[in-house]
Amino acid sequence: MERKLRILTYIHTQASPTWNEKVTLLQTKPGIINSIILAFKLYFKKKDYDLVVISGEKPGIFFSLLQTILPFRKTPSIMIGSLFYRAKNPLRRYLKRVQLKLMSKSVHFFLVWAKREITDYSIEFGIPVEKFKFFPYHTTCEVYDCPVRKGD
């Protein structure tokens, strides 16, 4: 009997009933403290899952940093919505580069929605291109054959 992939996330989407049926969804609340609490929940629950799907927002950032810093088994994670920016201030640019390099030690790969982001982010943040995977965003799907199933 084939074992099902167990996925943990906090990313909910009304556009994908299949996604919402197949993953374990943790509830999110706004605010920095709630983002930190959610990151710790993800961290302590991750051992029961094969994959953690996170976003490039605060809970995902905190979770990936926890996985990098703490000395326990890392559960593979995918970061979606990786919309990073180049800070104008040199100090902020340096700090962002350090942050993303640390995050990349525990993120299996960053899912980007534009092919050019692979090389742009790799160069800007010093992360190997292999850490980035392109997947077309819904607004760029016209050129791809993306059949709809179950309303997804």
Side-chain angles (χ1 to χ4, degrees):
M1 184 172 180
E2 191 175 316
R3 188 172 75 80
K4 292 184 179 181
L5 183 67
R6 296 165 303 163
I7 302 172
L8 177 65
T9 190
Y10 55 90
I11 301 168
H12 179 274
T13 175
Q14 291 179 339
S16 179
T18 303
W19 172 258
N20 295 328
E21 288 172 11
K22 302 295 181 185
V23 302
T24 301
L25 284 165
L26 298 183
Q27 296 301 312
T28 60
K29 295 178 183 174
I32 187 110
I33 299 299
N34 289 320
S35 293
I36 293 169
I37 291 169
L38 178 57
F40 274 100
K41 284 181 183 178
L42 288 164
Y43 185 81
F44 288 113
K45 289 180 179 283
K46 73 183 173 88
K47 69 183 181 310
D48 298 324
Y49 294 87
D50 303 304
L51 177 68
V52 180
V53 178
I54 56 179
S55 71
E57 297 172 339
K58 288 178 182 72
I61 291 168
F62 292 138
F63 171 77
S64 62
L65 290 173
L66 282 173
Q67 275 216 122
T68 297
I69 293 166
L70 297 178
F72 304 107
R73 180 183 77 87
K74 292 172 179 37
T75 298
S77 62
I78 297 170
M79 181 173 279
I80 64 172
S82 305
L83 301 171
F84 307 128
Y85 62 91
R86 183 177 197 262
K88 291 183 182 7
N89 178 295
L91 178 59
R92 282 192 171 185
R93 188 177 316 129
Y94 172 77
L95 293 174
K96 186 71 162 183
R97 185 179 179 100
V98 169
Q99 173 193 331
L100 287 167
K101 283 181 108 167
L102 283 171
M103 289 167 50
S104 74
K105 293 181 185 297
S106 72
V107 173
H108 190 69
F109 64 81
F110 298 89
L111 194 63
V112 295
W113 294 322
K115 288 181 182 177
R116 73 174 188 284
E117 291 174 336
I118 293 171
T119 52
D120 290 351
Y121 291 165
S122 178
I123 292 166
E124 179 63 28
F125 301 114
I127 300 170
V129 293
E130 297 79 27
K131 283 283 196 171
F132 298 96
K133 304 291 182 202
F134 167 70
F135 189 82
Y137 190 57
H138 66 86
T139 58
T140 60
C141 285
E142 297 85 38
V143 295
Y144 299 95
D145 183 20
C146 299
V148 175
R149 292 186 181 91
K150 287 180 136 182
D152 291 348

